Amino acid sequence: MSVEPSSRLGACSNEPATMASEPTSSHGSSSPWSNEQEHGAITMVDEPNLGPASRVVASHDQTLIQASSSEVQYVSYQGEHHLPLVMSLVDQELSEPYSIFTYRYFVYLWPQLCFLAFHKGTCVGTVVCKMGEHRNTFRGYIAMLVVIKPYRGKGIATELVTRSIQVMMESGCEEVTLEAEVTNKGALALYGRLGFIRAKRLFRYYLNGVDAFRLKLLFPSPQLNPMLFQNKDNYDMNMVQESDRESRCHHGGCCEHHYGT
Amino acid sequence: MSRGGRNQIERSSRYARFERGMESNGIPPSPISSGEQSVWVDVSPLLEAAGNELKEGELIHGENFSLFAAMSALEIMDPKMDAGMEKFGYRSVEEAIENGAAPIPFSTDKTTDIQCIIDVMDHLLSCEAAWHKGYPLAQTVFSCIYLLRLERTSSHALLHSYCRMIRTTCNSVLSVVSDARTHEEEDLFIMAFGLPLKGEGDKKCLSMLSAVEETIARQLRACKNPTKKKVLGDMEPLQSNPDLEEGYCKALLSRIRFRKYYYHVLMCMRKAQGRGLELARKHIASCLAELASIYGSSEFLMANAHGIRQAVIEDRTTASGCQPIGFHTGLDNVAPTPPRAIKIISWKKALEYFEKLLQDLDIICSFRLDPLLEDVLQFVVQFQKSQPDLVARAHLQLLLVQDGKLYGRDPLSDVISRAALSQVIKDQSFQKNEFIIQLGQLVINLLKILCTNAAWQRRKLGKILQDWGATAAQLQLSSKREVDNVLNIRVEEEESMKLSKHLLCWTEEQTYWIAGRFLMLGFELELYSPSEYCMVYWYLYIVMFKLLEKAQLRIVQTNDSSKKKGKKKRDPLKDGAKEIQYPSHILLLQCYINLSEGLAMMLAALSNENSNFEKPSIFNTEQERFIQHFELLQKAHVPEGVSYIMFKDLMNHVNFSTIMRYNYFGAAQLIARDLKGRFSGDPEKMSELRRVEQVAEHNKIALNVICQAGIKDPSLKVSFEFTHHACFAIAVVKRS
């Protein structure tokens, strides 16, 4: 059955041949269900958080909520009672529809990669991911990331994504990937700050004709490059060897240190 | 299935029992056949029982519960997923026809009939443009019921001949794209899913349409010269309102003629070895003229429209703004995937699309089929700058590569010998040389890749570096002389080694050219973020430096060979101690090298001296980003020995005084000034020179400003913008 998967979710999988990350003849250009208002996996625009998180950022169309970073709670996916919250947020913010099977596929198999952000009991953001073997690489994939409009610009999306990536790193992922619309400046800035590069451009990936970037984050290999986790002034060429991706591994020490910088 | 989803299941299964669009009234629905051997069956009780057995949070899934399968699922009657909910209301084309969805004629009133057929023509143009832009044929052009059942239209000469022509031209375009196989990411284009793209009598479409055209042309002459009407015979008018006769005749004629000339363009361009290109250009000119007339008819058609108006006039798919009759959505779709809800491109945008397509085809037709590979590559690269769409690119590729030959005319052995050795060697042993054959395949593959869209092209260029590298490695082995065996080498072996040496130089040159294209396309595709510009320019500098080295070596080798053979060379060569005058493209390359080096150094200095310039990322370092960006180049050892360590080693100590001392941008300006004389007859090259000069000038000024102000000045903000050249940025210095 040569059904095209969603462009936003179809690129990385631990499934066999039909889900190769390179576009194949069965990949198609975008989700079967998108319409002209599709915005890709991330609709929110997370402006760089240049000031205190409690500052209200003026918006031209909506009043933003004053919420300090300490008031937002981040929770890992716990079970069925969280699923409607995730679905409702994604359905509300994204025009591209997902069937219930899609949500279940992610949260059932990788609950530890799904996080929700709450403010005073209201779910205001969520991230949904997966990870698995893909062409001899253990790879994480960020499928959905949403923060509702009044809560944008506070670093909530960054926090959600950072937590997921942290779990991926600790679980042994060598890299993390996702797709984002080339016009989604907020998403591109967010992921750029976290170390993602634009690995590929995907022509007319979305049905509305917009291209996508495949973003990829490659984790350092601490075993081979221990000195890389110091600041650049201490960068000692003699101790650093050519990185060999085939022999990568991760362990908690350098990753914690890294996360803490 | 979880308890949480059970309500959904109940809803879905209940709806599955009813025909679409019909409300439930308790009356059992008539059974709907889903094929010859199957019928629909109500499984609601089974699903309910299964759901009751599950506990909360439990999920049943088979081995094939993959992401692919999950994403492909649709919830029936969800309007976001189920395109059938577009409320077309019919289950099949036949039912639609029976209920009057595609009447023939459109109306007994002749004016209305003509208005409707013009709307159909316009909407079909919009559909065709939408198809070219990547939407399925089934949901665009073949959403037209008249096209799906062409035989029905035979009583309406105008509609019939027009539809037949549409079908023929679509089939021609589809076969070009399919043959070229440039459509990798655009694979929806060639999916015809059993649509009636061909039929008996299609070859007569031109004569049928011409006959109709002649009739309408006579009707136009008759209405413009009423006094001559009696001389011309009693010509029945096109439609019933004499005041509108001229307007509608002209509107129809421009549309019919556009189709006719477009057909001629496609047929001419398909002629072997580019024989039809000159004639194609004439038809393209006529096509563009008719397109302008079509556009001009819009005011008249809108003013006299009286059908149902389309909701948003700016997005209208017809000139009149009326809804076209005879189109469906999501009906009787034989595609394996459920139909997507798509939006047909607007009529105005469709006209713009076809205008651009014709202009791009004209550029292709103006190509002189130069036998020099270097010129072919340059032409293709230049052509791609205008971002031609799939149809134009497919036509270009089929022109370049036919029957395994360049233009279907020049064997690849000739092409390579001309490119690598500056002469054509017709010797059979040369043509059968394994390296020549291998290189021939590499060149064909390269030409095909260069005709794909930029995003796909870049990925493929990165991948083929290894193929070119492998051939170079084999040539390297072949060209080496075993010292011990010097005295025993036969003349043939020595010749073979010399040939390998020449081919090696050329192969390496092409490899670096490909690597340079790969890196530069990254700028055009916006793949680099500002924090990565330094490493990219540095790598680009190295690759282009190696390219220059190989190009110069090849020229020297070729000139040495021709000296020995006493032949005159194409490039100016001075004897004795005088220097070789390098061709213009080599000097332009030197400009690019200076710009790349200057930019890499400037960015390194900014990074080293201004701590605000770059911000570190949380999860990785610059090294990981270096590895990722240059992975394909590193795998192919292009060039050998380049590493992140080398990059850091060289860049860590760069400061502004170093850069000022070497004056990279000044050097680029000097060369550009000299090249102006050589490029004076070539407007594109002159434009490129101007861009290079502007980049050099702006960056030189920016450097001076930074040095004078002092880089550590916290109020100084430096950013990089591509305002003058797609690949070479200019530094913009501002004070905050």
Side-chain angles (χ1 to χ4, degrees):
Chain A
M1 177 179 177
S2 59
V3 177
E4 296 101 43
S6 162
S7 59
R8 289 181 286 151
L9 306 182
C12 170
S13 165
N14 55 1
E15 316 300 339
T18 48
M19 289 305 298
S21 65
E22 288 291 344
T24 65
S25 60
S26 65
H27 185 82
S29 57
S30 70
S31 161
W33 323 125
S34 56
N35 59 30
E36 62 175 358
Q37 272 135 26
E38 176 184 351
H39 291 302
I42 301 144
T43 54
M44 46 71 70
V45 174
D46 194 304
E47 297 298 329
N49 206 353
L50 300 173
S54 58
R55 187 183 69 182
V56 173
V57 177
S59 162
H60 65 277
D61 57 353
Q62 291 203 10
T63 306
L64 296 183
I65 308 297
Q66 196 158 11
S68 71
S69 52
S70 57
E71 291 174 355
V72 178
Q73 289 155 338
Y74 297 90
V75 173
S76 188
Y77 181 85
Q78 300 294 326
E80 196 68 14
H81 62 287
H82 276 160
L83 182 57
L85 300 174
V86 172
M87 284 175 59
S88 157
L89 269 181
V90 176
D91 283 350
Q92 175 190 318
E93 294 294 329
L94 299 181
S95 57
E96 180 170 299
Y98 292 125
S99 71
I100 185 150
F101 305 108
T102 305
Y103 293 104
R104 291 207 177 285
Y105 173 82
F106 286 100
V107 302
Y108 186 78
L109 296 171
W110 297 280
Q112 76 277 32
L113 293 179
C114 176
F115 290 91
L116 295 87
F118 287 89
H119 179 243
K120 294 182 179 169
T122 304
C123 185
V124 301
T126 186
V127 66
V128 176
C129 312
K130 63 177 282 200
M131 61 185 171
E133 271 303 317
H134 177 79
R135 288 181 176 175
N136 300 321
T137 308
F138 195 59
R139 173 196 270 193
Y141 180 71
I142 301 171
M144 306 175 212
L145 172 65
V146 177
V147 171
I148 58 173
K149 283 197 182 76
Y151 287 85
R152 294 179 189 174
K154 296 174 193 336
I156 295 174
T158 302
E159 186 63 37
L160 286 166
V161 166
T162 301
R163 282 167 188 255
S164 296
I165 295 175
Q166 179 70 17
V167 174
M168 289 172 187
M169 201 163 61
E170 288 164 359
S171 306
C173 284
E174 294 162 70
E175 58 187 30
V176 182
T177 183
L178 68 133
E179 294 89 34
E181 284 179 323
V182 299
T183 47
N184 195 336
K185 302 289 180 206
L188 297 174
L190 187 163
Y191 289 107
R193 285 193 297 275
L194 296 177
F196 284 79
I197 70 154
R198 299 169 197 182
K200 290 176 192 173
R201 186 159 177 147
L202 304 167
F203 185 66
R204 288 186 191 158
Y205 197 59
Y206 298 105
L207 196 61
N208 57 4
V210 176
D211 293 356
F213 287 125
R214 172 87 32 82
L215 303 179
K216 266 200 202 173
L217 170 77
L218 181 67
F219 290 121
S221 172
Q223 202 176 36
L224 291 174
N225 302 307
M227 295 307 291
L228 288 176
F229 299 100
Q230 305 298 323
N231 64 41
K232 68 179 178 195
D233 290 339
N234 285 350
Y235 189 77
D236 185 339
M237 296 294 178
N238 293 329
M239 291 191 65
V240 174
Q241 299 164 33
E242 287 294 323
S243 63
D244 177 6
R245 291 183 62 215
E246 306 284 54
S247 55
R248 280 180 178 281
C249 73
H250 299 271
H251 47 86
C254 62
C255 296
E256 281 166 21
H257 170 86
H258 209 52
Y259 178 64
T261 52
Chain B
M1 294 152 284
S2 74
R3 192 169 294 177
R6 207 184 342 151
N7 286 340
Q8 213 156 9
I9 296 160
E10 285 171 357
R11 241 191 351 264
S12 298
S13 62
R14 196 164 59 239
Y15 287 146
R17 285 159 42 199
F18 296 105
E19 294 170 7
R20 277 188 190 145
M22 290 178 64
E23 295 297 321
S24 165
N25 56 12
I27 300 169
S30 50
I32 305 169
S33 168
S34 66
E36 283 184 2
Q37 305 292 330
S38 52
V39 291
W40 288 102
V41 173
D42 182 3
V43 295
S44 316
L46 176 64
L47 288 174
E48 196 156 344
N52 285 333
E53 293 283 320
L54 288 171
K55 297 191 183 92
E56 187 156 314
E58 266 196 306
L59 176 74
I60 296 174
H61 63 95
E63 277 178 17
N64 63 350
F65 180 56
S66 61
L67 178 58
F68 196 95
M71 288 303 303
S72 308
L74 72 111
E75 293 183 29
I76 299 169
M77 297 187 80
D78 180 332
K80 281 186 180 176
M81 297 190 206
D82 188 345
M85 290 303 292
E86 285 290 308
K87 308 280 186 280
F88 183 67
Y90 303 115
R91 285 175 294 166
S92 66
V93 177
E94 281 63 36
E95 190 178 321
I97 291 169
E98 276 165 32
N99 285 276
I104 298 169
F106 296 92
S107 169
T108 47
D109 173 59
K110 286 174 81 177
T111 306
T112 307
D113 192 57
I114 294 300
Q115 287 169 336
C116 289
I117 193 173
I118 292 175
D119 288 341
V120 167
M121 291 175 174
D122 289 347
H123 191 78
L124 274 172
L125 191 78
S126 299
C127 286
E128 200 175 347
W131 171 50
H132 284 204
K133 287 270 182 197
Y135 294 101
L137 193 57
Q139 281 183 272
T140 52
V141 179
F142 280 88
S143 65
C144 178
I145 296 174
Y146 297 110
L147 269 173
L148 285 171
R149 299 289 184 266
L150 191 61
E151 63 285 354
R152 286 182 69 237
T153 63
S154 46
S155 59
H156 195 308
L158 176 54
L159 181 62
H160 184 76
S161 57
Y162 194 86
C163 285
R164 217 179 253 282
M165 180 59 83
I166 291 269
R167 185 163 86 174
T168 306
T169 51
C170 284
N171 189 42
S172 173
V173 167
L174 191 143
S175 71
V176 165
V177 172
S178 178
D179 290 349
R181 285 194 280 268
T182 51
H183 56 271
E184 292 80 353
E185 281 176 321
E186 303 156 275
D187 51 359
L188 285 179
F189 190 93
I190 59 163
M191 288 183 183
F193 303 134
L195 296 170
L197 265 170
K198 282 186 208 176
E200 278 290 321
D202 278 0
K203 285 180 185 167
K204 295 181 200 156
C205 62
L206 183 63
S207 55
M208 283 186 204
L209 197 63
S210 296
V212 168
E213 179 199 355
E214 177 54 32
T215 306
I216 300 172
R218 286 163 69 194
Q219 284 162 332
L220 176 63
R221 283 198 295 275
C223 79
K224 281 167 99 167
N225 295 294
T227 50
K228 285 190 182 174
K229 196 177 169 184
K230 284 184 184 163
V231 177
L232 290 168
D234 277 325
M235 186 86 236
E236 200 177 317
L238 177 70
Q239 47 80 57
S240 45
N241 186 336
D243 295 332
L244 305 177
E245 182 77 355
E246 185 176 338
Y248 280 116
C249 284
K250 282 180 173 171
L252 267 178
L253 277 173
S254 56
R255 284 156 173 78
I256 290 168
R257 284 168 179 162
F258 168 78
R259 279 286 144 204
K260 207 178 67 168
Y261 292 126
Y262 181 53
Y263 171 84
H264 281 308
V265 170
L266 296 174
M267 295 303 116
C268 286
M269 287 191 77
R270 288 271 357 219
K271 285 190 177 157
Q273 299 181 20
R275 289 197 189 106
L277 297 186
E278 208 178 314
L279 186 54
R281 290 196 79 188
K282 293 187 176 134
H283 290 306
I284 288 170
S286 304
C287 225
L288 284 165
E290 297 304 333
L291 214 55
S293 298
I294 293 173
Y295 188 80
S297 68
S298 168
E299 207 181 305
F300 167 79
L301 292 170
M302 275 199 81
N304 293 290
H306 78 165
I308 302 169
R309 295 284 180 159
Q310 294 188 20
V312 181
I313 209 67
E314 293 80 26
D315 293 345
R316 69 189 196 280
T317 57
T318 60
S320 67
C322 293
Q323 292 275 15
I325 291 172
F327 290 82
H328 74 84
T329 50
L331 174 58
D332 203 22
N333 197 308
V334 297
T337 63
R340 309 172 179 188
I342 63 165
K343 192 177 165 201
I344 300 293
I345 196 169
S346 77
W347 181 69
K348 276 199 177 146
K349 290 214 160 71
L351 288 177
E352 284 167 13
Y353 168 78
F354 275 98
E355 188 181 15
K356 174 140 197 318
L357 170 63
L358 289 163
Q359 285 163 350
D360 289 338
L361 292 177
D362 192 55
I363 294 172
I364 296 170
C365 292
S366 68
F367 183 49
R368 283 169 305 179
L369 309 192
D370 204 303
L372 259 192
L373 180 63
E374 189 178 289
D375 294 340
V376 182
L377 296 179
Q378 197 157 339
F379 172 78
V380 179
V381 166
Q382 185 61 35
F383 177 65
Q384 284 274 31
K385 284 183 183 169
S386 64
Q387 297 178 330
D389 276 307
L390 174 59
V391 173
R393 287 187 274 107
H395 278 87
L396 174 62
Q397 198 224 285
L398 285 192
L399 172 66
L400 296 180
V401 182
Q402 290 169 35
D403 303 325
K405 294 181 186 172
L406 185 66
Y407 319 124
R409 179 191 77 191
D410 302 343
L412 266 297
S413 54
D414 287 1
V415 172
I416 288 163
S417 101
R418 205 177 270 119
L421 310 170
S422 297
Q423 57 178 317
V424 177
I425 298 177
K426 285 290 186 187
D427 184 57
Q428 257 215 341
S429 63
F430 175 84
Q431 289 167 356
K432 290 187 179 166
N433 179 300
E434 57 165 323
F435 291 120
I436 297 296
I437 295 172
Q438 251 183 57
L439 286 170
Q441 280 307 308
L442 289 176
V443 167
I444 284 185
N445 198 28
L446 174 63
L447 286 171
K448 288 182 176 181
I449 288 170
L450 289 173
C451 292
T452 57
N453 70 68
W456 182 264
Q457 188 188 139
R458 185 182 188 265
R459 296 203 291 282
K460 290 299 164 192
L461 287 176
K463 297 238 163 112
I464 63 170
L465 283 171
Q466 286 191 70
D467 301 332
W468 283 82
T471 302
Q474 289 169 28
L475 280 164
Q476 180 100 25
L477 285 170
S478 175
S479 66
K480 273 185 184 157
R481 187 174 288 193
E482 299 269 357
V483 175
D484 292 343
N485 290 336
V486 162
L487 294 175
N488 296 330
I489 290 174
R490 293 175 296 161
V491 171
E492 296 87 1
E493 281 175 348
E494 190 170 341
E495 284 300 314
S496 170
M497 278 181 199
K498 270 189 199 159
L499 175 64
S500 296
K501 205 170 146 192
H502 281 259
L503 290 178
L504 171 63
C505 186
W506 180 80
T507 303
E508 286 178 328
E509 187 189 339
Q510 299 316 300
T511 308
Y512 286 116
W513 184 86
I514 293 168
R517 286 300 307 148
F518 172 82
L519 290 170
M520 288 175 86
L521 277 171
F523 283 111
E524 292 176 30
L525 296 169
E526 299 175 299
L527 290 179
Y528 312 126
S529 61
S531 65
E532 293 154 6
Y533 291 164
C534 181
M535 64 172 80
V536 176
Y537 282 123
W538 179 78
Y539 220 114
L540 186 59
Y541 156 71
I542 291 180
V543 162
M544 289 200 292
F545 188 87
K546 297 294 282 183
L547 172 60
L548 181 71
E549 205 176 69
K550 297 296 170 188
Q552 287 171 330
L553 179 60
R554 183 170 59 82
I555 290 170
V556 167
Q557 275 179 351
T558 311
N559 289 338
D560 283 348
S561 293
S562 68
K563 254 193 205 171
K564 284 176 188 167
K565 289 180 184 171
K567 285 185 186 171
K568 285 186 183 177
K569 294 315 294 174
R570 189 171 156 258
D571 294 320
L573 170 67
K574 298 189 178 180
D575 289 329
K578 290 182 185 173
E579 286 180 7
I580 295 170
Q581 272 198 357
Y582 289 109
S584 313
H585 72 274
I586 298 265
L587 294 172
L588 186 59
L589 181 58
Q590 183 66 66
C591 273
Y592 293 154
I593 290 171
N594 289 339
L595 291 182
S596 303
E597 195 177 8
L599 281 163
M601 299 295 263
M602 182 156 52
L603 285 154
L606 280 167
S607 175
N608 293 337
E609 299 194 34
N610 185 336
S611 58
N612 287 330
F613 188 64
E614 276 181 24
K615 294 164 195 164
S617 61
I618 311 177
F619 286 108
N620 63 8
T621 69
E622 192 182 40
Q623 180 166 6
E624 280 69 48
R625 296 196 291 280
F626 183 98
I627 290 167
Q628 285 184 274
H629 273 304
F630 307 120
E631 184 184 357
L632 291 171
L633 294 165
Q634 301 259 284
K635 261 189 189 163
H637 307 284
V638 177
E640 194 75 61
V642 168
S643 66
Y644 178 73
I645 298 164
M646 179 195 279
F647 164 67
K648 271 332 258 193
D649 215 15
L650 289 166
M651 294 291 131
N652 259 349
H653 306 291
V654 170
N655 54 43
F656 279 96
S657 58
T658 319
I659 304 171
M660 295 307 282
R661 193 161 60 239
Y662 286 106
N663 195 17
Y664 305 105
F665 299 117
Q669 281 179 307
L670 279 173
I671 301 174
R673 208 168 297 147
D674 288 342
L675 276 173
K676 272 184 179 163
R678 295 212 213 181
F679 286 163
S680 57
D682 190 328
E684 275 167 7
K685 289 205 170 92
M686 287 299 286
S687 298
E688 179 63 10
L689 269 186
R690 268 194 296 275
R691 287 190 284 266
V692 164
E693 280 187 311
Q694 281 166 343
V695 169
E697 181 65 18
H698 280 271
N699 284 321
K700 209 166 128 184
I701 292 170
L703 266 176
N704 285 332
V705 168
I706 292 169
C707 287
Q708 278 168 24
I711 186 57
K712 296 204 193 302
D713 181 346
S715 66
L716 217 61
K717 301 284 173 232
V718 185
S719 61
F720 287 82
E721 291 164 20
F722 295 90
T723 40
H724 290 89
H725 196 288
C727 301
F728 297 108
I730 58 163
V732 177
V733 187
K734 285 180 185 164
R735 263 224 155 78
S736 59

